[in-house]
Amino acid sequence: MWSEDVALVCTERYGSGSVVKYMKCDDGAVQCERPRPTHKYRPLRDCFTSLFLPHGFPDSVSEDYLEYQLWDTLQAFSSSVTGSLATHALLRGSGVGDSSATVTGATITWILRDGTGMVGRILFAWMKGSLLDCDAKRWRLFADVLNDLAIFMEILAPVFPSCFTLTVCTAGVFKCIVGVAGGATRAALTVHQARRDNMADVCAKDGSQETVVNLAGLLVSLVLVPMVSDSLWGTYLLFFLLTCLHLYANYRAVRSVIMETLNQSRLRIVLEHFLLEGRILSPAEANPKEPLLPGLGSQVSVDVGVPLNAVISSVSQLDVLKEGNDSLYLLGWRRDTGRLAVVLHERAGSADIIRSVVHAEILHRETLCSDPARYTVLAETHRHVSRMFPDFYRGLCAAGWVTDRNLLDSDDWRANWDINKGL
């Protein structure tokens, strides 16, 4: 035996686990004293953790990781079962079991479905690719709603044989859009969850979780699909119940995510609270208020990082925008659409981009773009933002927001309107 206050050599622990003590024996040797397991199933739990959770869990991931993954697992299971219902419907609609159907006809349908889907994937990535990072939660939920719509169309397709190919191709386009939006937003959420530069490990374990869930969904489908295969209304009822579960689980999953980077929705929420109460909301307080469906929310429409000629057409207009402006951006209105637009200086950083969007939000509250005195109001808001933004920015940093990068969808145009200074 030894006295702990004398024989204790050092302590260590693995991650946030229990403390292990190294004790000095009477003969000078060092003996490791590990705490006794408090639960008989601890080895099984450790095995499960190493198989399906990132190395170093829970310290190596964000605090919202476990809740998000639990809801994500539930939605993946329900989607796997409804996908089996859709596969059954597609095979039946393609002529499986019908002696009058031809292999050539089914092959052509499948080729058209895949081809239109590929075109849809390319066009969607071109049109919306840059927005997927900025509103990852919103687009993730949109992708799952669109996926359920595509599955419903595939289940419904055999009911209308004359429109089968058109319906299947449309559903194929939707599913390819889902693939782009879902995959891209999943990557964005993985970047948020990986806290030790362990994105690859988080992705790999997420794949393991999804594989197990899909396997469970296949096993359940082996039981459920034959039970409802001969009943159209039974198929619809099962699809409806599983879709409700799928949508609810997806909503809870994306709602559980606490993003520390500022997109326009979160910045607007924080700014409004600051202007009303003088306090900066933390990420945990602001994220639950973020709208998750496209079209919701009242943030101002502003284009950040536009070319200079999109805003001005003369030197006098440039002088008006520079008047009273001590910032590294020019805020004005686009000549083609009338939308608020920001021209960024070549020295502008993330803080300047955040300030420009804050300025746009405040200006939007002061005047409409059609107001003939809008440039007067612009100069006044410049002075207001110059006074309040330093306190606002310090509050963001103190509240835990990431400010050295942002998700405000800034384009890459940069200008330098100070080249004649000092000449």
Side-chain angles (χ1 to χ4, degrees), residues 67-348:
E67 182 179 359
Y68 172 83
Q69 291 301 129
L70 289 174
W71 287 111
D72 188 56
T73 296
L74 185 59
Q75 69 85 18
F77 172 79
S78 56
S79 180
S80 177
V81 179
T82 54
S84 297
L85 293 175
T87 301
H88 176 268
L90 287 177
L91 292 175
R92 184 176 59 187
S94 298
V96 175
D98 186 357
S99 58
S100 62
T102 64
V103 175
T104 301
T107 302
I108 291 175
T109 300
W110 234 253
I111 291 174
L112 290 174
R113 173 177 177 265
D114 291 345
T116 52
M118 292 174 186
V119 174
R121 178 187 291 115
I122 294 171
L123 291 177
F124 180 77
W126 167 62
M127 295 172 62
K128 300 295 184 181
S130 63
L131 299 177
L132 300 179
D133 278 308
C134 301
D135 286 305
K137 293 191 287 185
R138 185 178 297 190
W139 283 105
R140 174 61 194 272
L141 190 59
F142 166 80
D144 288 302
V145 172
L146 191 63
N147 182 63
D148 289 334
L149 177 61
I151 291 176
F152 178 70
M153 294 180 67
E154 290 177 340
I155 293 176
L156 201 63
V159 180
F160 304 99
S162 59
C163 301
F164 179 80
T165 300
L166 177 62
T167 304
V168 167
C169 289
T170 304
V173 171
F174 288 172
K175 282 199 168 184
C176 285
I177 293 175
V178 170
V180 175
T185 54
R186 182 181 292 273
L189 294 176
T190 301
V191 171
H192 158 71
Q193 293 171 339
R195 294 304 167 94
R196 291 184 179 174
D197 294 326
N198 57 337
M199 183 175 172
D201 185 29
V202 174
C203 283
K205 296 304 169 57
D206 184 69
S208 297
Q209 297 168 22
E210 187 171 355
T211 300
V212 170
V213 171
N214 287 336
L215 178 60
L218 289 176
L219 294 176
V220 173
S221 298
L222 288 175
V223 177
L224 291 180
V225 172
M227 293 173 59
V228 300
S229 59
D230 296 328
S231 172
L232 193 61
W233 290 109
T235 301
Y236 292 158
L237 178 61
L238 180 60
F239 170 78
F240 175 77
L241 295 176
L242 289 172
T243 299
C244 290
L245 176 62
H246 179 245
L247 293 176
Y248 177 73
N250 268 294
Y251 175 81
R252 292 295 303 270
V254 296
R255 181 56 80 191
S256 69
V257 176
I258 307 298
M259 304 283 281
E260 295 92 358
T261 44
L262 288 163
N263 65 1
Q264 195 173 348
S265 295
R266 293 189 285 272
L267 181 58
R268 177 188 58 83
I269 292 168
V270 174
L271 177 63
E272 283 185 346
H273 194 271
F274 177 78
L275 295 176
L276 289 174
E277 302 188 16
R279 186 177 72 87
I280 299 293
L281 294 175
S282 67
E285 293 172 316
N287 273 265
K289 302 177 183 292
E290 182 181 1
L292 295 180
L293 292 177
L296 297 182
S298 57
Q299 68 264 18
V300 61
S301 297
V302 56
D303 301 324
V304 183
V306 301
L308 185 61
N309 62 6
V311 177
I312 68 166
S313 60
S314 66
V315 175
S316 60
Q317 287 182 330
L318 176 61
D319 292 337
V320 169
L321 294 182
K322 290 167 59 178
E323 183 178 357
N325 184 358
D326 60 349
S327 60
L328 293 177
Y329 64 86
L330 299 176
L331 179 61
W333 291 265
R334 293 190 70 115
R335 295 189 295 139
D336 51 353
T337 63
R339 287 164 53 101
L340 278 169
V342 175
V343 180
L344 293 173
H345 197 280
E346 61 184 15
R347 300 196 310 272

Side-chain angles (χ1 to χ4, degrees), residues 23-38:
M23 314 297 292
K24 179 182 178 182
C25 301
D26 294 336
D27 58 359
V30 176
Q31 181 172 337
C32 179
E33 184 187 55
R34 298 183 181 275
R36 294 181 179 180
T38 57

